[in-house]
Amino acid sequence: MVSLENRHADWAREYEREAGRLIEALDTRVTAFEHIGSTAVPGLVAKPVVDLAARAAEHVDVFGLTGLIAPLGYEMHRSGPKNHGVYVRADRGTRTHILHVFAHESWDACNQRLFRDKLLHDRDARERYGAAKVRLAAEADGARYTEAKSAIVQELLDEERAARGLPSVRAWDK
């Protein structure tokens, strides 16, 4: 079973705090930071894990940042997506933060940002996704939960991409 929580203001504050630490550590290697994932969406239940998106500066290797952020407790998520860097921070074995680092040229159309935007501006999508999360969280463990959400995520992402004149692409970047 996956534990979901109602949104709380601490998540926005925690994003700001963590983004500040990462900006300091990564310096000119990143050019933008945003709060993504369910903790960034008011009114949406979420696992208590803060997701951050960073746009790498041009010519920065998104998979080569471990040495800079390891002192902050981040490790590369080796089984994660292959098209962007994913770094995970945990506290006593429990994930607390996930940093997604996108190549400069893929920032504008990256699925994580588009999906967040869809949930922010479309109440119906937010409600459908929230209901699916609650139902699936009661039925599955972490890995199966993520897999089980893939159909609703793909559907909502396709809607957002189409609204922006972008082609459909696979939602999960793995």
Side-chain angles (χ1 to χ4, degrees):
M1 184 169 157
V2 173
S3 175
L4 298 176
E5 297 179 12
N6 289 321
R7 178 171 170 76
H8 35 96
D10 290 348
W11 290 339
R13 286 190 293 272
E14 182 56 24
Y15 161 76
E16 291 294 335
R17 187 186 75 73
E18 197 64 14
R21 288 176 6 112
L22 288 162
I23 289 167
E24 187 174 318
L26 294 168
D27 196 26
T28 61
R29 291 170 189 84
V30 294
T31 60
F33 263 92
E34 291 184 5
H35 190 180
I36 60 169
S38 294
T39 61
V41 181
L44 187 62
V45 295
K47 292 185 291 184
V49 179
V50 175
D51 287 276
L52 303 98
R55 178 179 58 204
E58 289 186 73
H59 311 297
V60 168
D61 177 6
V62 299
F63 301 102
L65 303 172
T66 302
L68 297 167
I69 59 177
L72 302 180
Y74 284 87
E75 295 180 354
M76 178 174 270
H77 183 51
R78 302 220 180 269
S79 63
K82 305 302 179 223
N83 68 347
H84 71 277
V86 177
Y87 302 87
V88 177
R89 183 173 159 221
D91 181 19
R92 293 176 282 228
T94 301
R95 284 184 184 173
T96 59
H97 301 80
I98 302 174
L99 171 63
H100 300 260
V101 183
F102 298 94
H104 182 81
E105 62 276 2
S106 66
W107 180 254
D108 290 335
C110 73
N111 289 339
Q112 290 79 353
R113 294 178 65 241
L114 296 178
F115 188 68
R116 183 236 15 232
D117 290 353
K118 173 71 170 175
L119 296 175
L120 286 172
H121 73 75
D122 185 332
R123 180 179 175 191
D124 178 63
R126 188 170 51 253
E127 289 174 355
R128 288 171 30 217
Y129 183 56
K133 288 177 71 159
V134 169
R135 179 177 46 80
L136 296 169
E139 301 171 0
D141 65 15
R144 289 186 320 196
Y145 168 76
T146 299
E147 183 179 321
K149 292 188 310 179
S150 63
I152 186 74
V153 169
Q154 187 69 56
E155 179 183 333
L156 297 175
L157 180 62
D158 284 348
E159 290 174 12
E160 184 67 14
R161 291 183 71 85
R164 294 180 186 217
L166 298 169
S168 174
V169 296
R170 188 172 171 202
W172 300 126
D173 308 303
K174 294 187 179 186

